[in-house]
Amino acid sequence: MWTPKLLMMNGELVPFADAKLHPLSLAVTYATTVFEGVRAYHMPQTGQFALFRLAEHVKRLQVGMKLLRMDRSYDTPYLLECLERLIRANEPDSDVYVRLLVYVEGTGLMATTGPVGFTAAAMPREKPKFAETGMSLGVSSWNRLEDNASPPRIKSTANYHNARLAALQAKSDGYDGALMLTAAGKVSEAPIACFFMVRDGVLITPSKSSGILESITRDTIITRYHELTDKQVEERVIDRSELYFADEAFLCGTGQEIIPVVKIDQFAVGDGGIGPITRQLSRDYFDLVRGVLPAHPEWRTLI
Ligand code: PMP
């Protein structure tokens, strides 16, 4: 497996181990950072890399910069050029996971909005360990953040304090991961991934007003499910007790890809195995991101 050599700070390539940010920057003191995790998949047929749904990742990042009132933004062609340079400079020979962070690197009082800086890092990433076995989830006693407090819809570093509390609690309680509820007790999402479940043949996911990140993988699943089956995913409020009626469940996200959920609160999901809809969507997803399927070429930016 390849190792990262260089990362990029403000457009300059620097040795991976030498990256520096001031500890009194607002990025650190007030978590004034928005970020993205983007994957560049190795395409077996051509040997090229394809950044998956880069435009959508950049759009979400730009809205985050706006909401945090950063005093500058970065446009999509510039970020693409930076990521291309970064990936080529690291000479990867397998899939790449890119972390792109934009933050206030200036120091000062809470309302400081600049100077703004960015870091892009390219790293290898192994397949998540629960991809084959499935994972157990425990419903967290930590509620998901509220939209009008710290909007989960944007990918701000500050939101991950809430996610970490749930993830750490789940681990200490013996689960593989957490599933969070809104303050109203409705199903929201996992700390770093969105949630889907199948009930009586219907694929269901919490609505965009359920305290979730507007996940790009979630959108990919919704789109592909419709294209493959001619059926719609139900995007709606999910009660907690519906979880125990699920025949199948899975998490999805750029980093997690598709992870089957085989137990919730120690109850088996369906028969406790990986269900057929989860398998079908998972196979389709990997064929799509690697360009094995020609569908949606606009989702793959070739490098
Ligand atoms: N929810 C949260 C809280 C996440 O951190 C992630 C990972 N980015 C996701 C959902 C999945 O989002 P995406 O599919 O855009 O990676």
Side-chain angles (χ1 to χ4, degrees):
M1 172 121 6
W2 62 283
T3 48
K5 300 184 190 91
L6 297 161
L7 58 67
M8 183 175 281
M9 296 189 83
N10 300 343
E12 304 278 319
L13 289 167
V14 296
F16 195 87
D18 295 351
K20 286 192 183 66
L21 185 68
H22 198 285
L24 293 182
S25 63
L26 261 79
V28 178
T29 56
Y30 292 116
T32 311
T33 303
V34 284
F35 72 108
E36 284 299 322
V38 187
R39 278 189 187 261
Y41 283 97
H42 188 247
M43 299 175 56
Q45 288 162 338
T46 61
Q48 284 175 295
F49 287 87
L51 283 159
F52 191 64
R53 301 200 69 176
L54 179 70
E56 290 83 353
H57 282 283
V58 170
K59 179 77 202 292
R60 187 168 65 190
L61 190 70
Q62 288 163 339
V63 175
M65 290 181 235
K66 179 169 79 175
L67 209 60
L68 270 60
R69 298 187 193 274
M70 292 188 178
D71 72 6
R72 66 159 296 175
S73 190
Y74 297 99
D75 64 34
T76 312
Y78 175 68
L79 289 176
L80 171 58
E81 179 213 310
C82 286
L83 295 189
E84 277 186 355
R85 269 205 291 142
L86 171 77
I87 292 171
R88 284 186 209 283
N90 280 285
E91 300 177 321
D93 59 8
S94 57
D95 294 349
V96 180
Y97 181 78
V98 175
R99 267 280 152 94
L100 178 58
L101 302 109
V102 180
Y103 39 76
V104 174
E105 60 185 13
T107 60
L109 299 177
M110 177 181 270
T112 303
T113 55
V116 170
F118 79 91
T119 293
M123 296 162 281
R125 184 135 167 192
E126 282 173 16
K127 217 173 164 54
K129 68 176 178 180
F130 297 116
E132 310 298 336
T133 58
M135 72 191 294
S136 68
L137 299 183
V139 171
S140 184
S141 60
W142 293 105
N143 287 339
R144 186 63 177 142
L145 293 164
E146 291 270 5
D147 183 62
N148 203 28
S150 184
R153 185 170 269 112
I154 60 164
K155 201 166 163 67
S156 64
T157 302
N159 288 349
Y160 288 82
H161 173 58
N162 174 240
R164 273 189 95 242
L165 288 174
L168 294 170
Q169 180 199 28
K171 218 172 175 183
S172 108
D173 289 350
Y175 295 104
D176 299 327
L179 185 59
M180 302 178 83
L181 305 181
T182 64
K186 307 302 178 186
V187 177
S188 179
E189 63 178 339
I192 55 167
C194 278
F195 178 78
F196 282 78
M197 59 178 261
V198 177
R199 184 174 171 188
D200 299 327
V202 180
L203 187 58
I204 312 168
T205 194
S207 73
K208 283 185 185 167
S209 294
S210 301
I212 65 168
L213 180 74
E214 290 200 359
S215 152
I216 292 153
T217 318
R218 174 185 179 279
D219 181 75
T220 303
I221 298 287
I222 290 171
T223 305
R224 288 302 290 165
Y225 183 70
H226 180 56
E227 289 170 357
L228 292 170
T229 65
D230 219 23
K231 293 195 276 188
Q232 298 286 354
V233 173
E234 271 186 20
E235 297 178 63
R236 63 167 173 83
V237 170
I238 301 179
D239 286 331
R240 175 186 184 160
S241 57
E242 284 190 270
L243 296 171
Y244 314 121
F245 284 79
D247 304 309
E248 294 185 39
F250 61 87
L251 298 182
C252 74
T254 302
Q256 299 300 294
E257 298 168 318
I258 296 178
I259 308 272
V261 174
V262 291
K263 257 188 191 178
I264 300 177
D265 288 345
Q266 305 295 9
F267 295 116
V269 174
D271 63 8
I274 302 174
I277 295 177
T278 307
R279 278 192 200 283
Q280 181 190 15
L281 288 169
S282 181
R283 209 175 307 121
D284 181 73
Y285 185 76
F286 288 108
D287 285 348
L288 194 69
V289 295
R290 292 188 193 286
V292 173
L293 287 173
H296 293 287
E298 75 284 6
W299 286 350
R300 294 179 293 274
T301 303
L302 302 185
I303 294 184

